[in-house]
Amino acid sequence: MYIIVGLGNPEERYARTFHNMGFNAAADAAELLGAKFRKRECASAVAEAYVNGEKVIIARPLTYMNLSGEAVKQLLAKYRAKPSQLVVIYDDYDIPKGKLRIRPSGSAGTHNGMRSIVSEIGTQDFARIRIGIRDPQADIPIMNYVLSEVRKEDYDLFISACNRAARAAVELAKGTPIEEVMTGFNG
């Protein structure tokens, strides 16, 4: 079993913001697996699929970004999953726009959603797929930047990045070793 969680904010007004890259990638992962977000449970919109006979849960927390850990903790408990079965996809201001960084563990860095998850589940040892959003030309505070809409000229770049992140998450759910996924998708 795997639980793929895409971080974001649930209101429509956030749909095209940098902070919703994880939500978008989760939607792409569900589509790749032929799943639909039909359930609401564990403070999340949830889609279910099967890969190689194993259940895969794709979730988009409805708690808002800064409380994402509440939903993730509930999901792990409900599905009796370990953090090693968790993949979190999210935006990362420290990575250049459109680039991916996949890691088997690590700190939350400056990301409040990840801080919430680490705090709630009590470990940093879970896979993460970070979608870079940093634009060196943007000169506004990070909080304002992450909640701003992706510029039209960058839209295709971010659609592609979310799709690559979704494909990487699906590979992890298939049991592909994380080192192979990192080699194939990082950068």
Side-chain angles (χ1 to χ4, degrees), residues 3 13 42 76 82 94 99 102 106 134 147 154:
I3 299 177
R13 66 185 172 132
C42 303
L76 290 174
K82 301 174 196 147
D94 297 325
K99 303 287 185 193
I102 302 163
R134 185 181 70 236
L147 294 175
D154 289 334

Short mmCIF file of all heavy atoms in Angstrom, two decimals, residues 3 13 42 76 82 94 99 102 106 134 147 154:
data_model
loop_
_atom_site.label_atom_id
_atom_site.label_comp_id
_atom_site.label_asym_id
_atom_site.label_seq_id
_atom_site.Cartn_x
_atom_site.Cartn_y
_atom_site.Cartn_z
N ILE A 3 0.31 5.69 0.16
CA ILE A 3 -0.55 6.87 0.27
C ILE A 3 0.21 8.02 -0.37
O ILE A 3 1.30 8.38 0.08
CB ILE A 3 -0.90 7.19 1.73
CG1 ILE A 3 -1.67 6.03 2.36
CG2 ILE A 3 -1.71 8.49 1.81
CD1 ILE A 3 -2.00 6.21 3.83
N ARG A 13 -10.06 29.51 -5.49
CA ARG A 13 -9.22 30.69 -5.74
C ARG A 13 -7.73 30.37 -5.65
O ARG A 13 -6.90 31.16 -6.08
CB ARG A 13 -9.59 31.83 -4.79
CG ARG A 13 -9.31 31.56 -3.34
CD ARG A 13 -9.83 32.70 -2.48
NE ARG A 13 -9.72 32.37 -1.07
CZ ARG A 13 -9.22 33.17 -0.17
NH1 ARG A 13 -8.77 34.37 -0.53
NH2 ARG A 13 -9.17 32.82 1.08
N CYS A 42 -10.87 11.58 6.42
CA CYS A 42 -9.59 11.99 7.01
C CYS A 42 -9.23 13.42 6.63
O CYS A 42 -8.08 13.73 6.32
CB CYS A 42 -8.48 11.03 6.60
SG CYS A 42 -8.78 9.31 7.03
N LEU A 76 -2.79 7.97 7.67
CA LEU A 76 -1.90 6.89 8.09
C LEU A 76 -2.60 5.98 9.09
O LEU A 76 -2.48 4.75 9.02
CB LEU A 76 -0.61 7.44 8.67
CG LEU A 76 0.36 8.12 7.70
CD1 LEU A 76 1.53 8.74 8.45
CD2 LEU A 76 0.84 7.16 6.63
N LYS A 82 2.47 2.93 7.36
CA LYS A 82 3.67 3.47 8.01
C LYS A 82 4.15 4.68 7.22
O LYS A 82 3.87 4.78 6.02
CB LYS A 82 4.77 2.41 8.03
CG LYS A 82 4.40 1.15 8.75
CD LYS A 82 5.51 0.14 8.57
CE LYS A 82 4.98 -1.23 8.94
NZ LYS A 82 5.58 -2.29 8.16
N ASP A 94 12.75 26.76 -2.65
CA ASP A 94 14.21 26.67 -2.70
C ASP A 94 14.74 26.00 -3.96
O ASP A 94 15.95 25.88 -4.14
CB ASP A 94 14.74 25.95 -1.46
CG ASP A 94 14.43 26.72 -0.19
OD1 ASP A 94 14.45 27.96 -0.23
OD2 ASP A 94 14.16 26.07 0.84
N LYS A 99 11.67 22.39 -11.80
CA LYS A 99 12.57 21.28 -11.48
C LYS A 99 11.95 20.40 -10.40
O LYS A 99 11.18 20.88 -9.57
CB LYS A 99 13.93 21.78 -10.98
CG LYS A 99 14.64 22.71 -11.93
CD LYS A 99 15.17 21.96 -13.11
CE LYS A 99 15.98 22.89 -14.00
NZ LYS A 99 16.27 22.30 -15.29
N ILE A 102 13.39 14.65 -5.65
CA ILE A 102 12.79 13.53 -4.94
C ILE A 102 13.80 13.05 -3.91
O ILE A 102 14.98 12.89 -4.23
CB ILE A 102 12.43 12.40 -5.92
CG1 ILE A 102 11.46 12.94 -6.98
CG2 ILE A 102 11.84 11.20 -5.18
CD1 ILE A 102 11.33 12.09 -8.21
N GLY A 106 14.06 13.81 4.90
CA GLY A 106 14.69 15.13 5.00
C GLY A 106 13.87 16.06 5.86
O GLY A 106 12.78 15.73 6.31
N ARG A 134 10.76 28.51 -7.55
CA ARG A 134 11.50 29.78 -7.42
C ARG A 134 11.72 30.43 -8.77
O ARG A 134 12.19 29.82 -9.72
CB ARG A 134 12.84 29.56 -6.73
CG ARG A 134 13.57 30.91 -6.49
CD ARG A 134 14.92 30.76 -5.84
NE ARG A 134 15.87 30.15 -6.78
CZ ARG A 134 16.57 29.05 -6.53
NH1 ARG A 134 16.46 28.42 -5.39
NH2 ARG A 134 17.39 28.58 -7.43
N LEU A 147 1.30 32.18 -2.82
CA LEU A 147 -0.15 32.30 -2.99
C LEU A 147 -0.54 33.08 -4.24
O LEU A 147 -1.72 33.32 -4.48
CB LEU A 147 -0.78 32.92 -1.75
CG LEU A 147 -0.69 32.07 -0.48
CD1 LEU A 147 -1.24 32.84 0.71
CD2 LEU A 147 -1.39 30.74 -0.66
N ASP A 154 4.50 30.75 -17.84
CA ASP A 154 5.09 29.61 -17.13
C ASP A 154 4.12 28.45 -16.95
O ASP A 154 4.48 27.41 -16.42
CB ASP A 154 5.58 30.04 -15.74
CG ASP A 154 6.81 30.92 -15.81
OD1 ASP A 154 7.57 30.81 -16.79
OD2 ASP A 154 7.00 31.72 -14.88
#
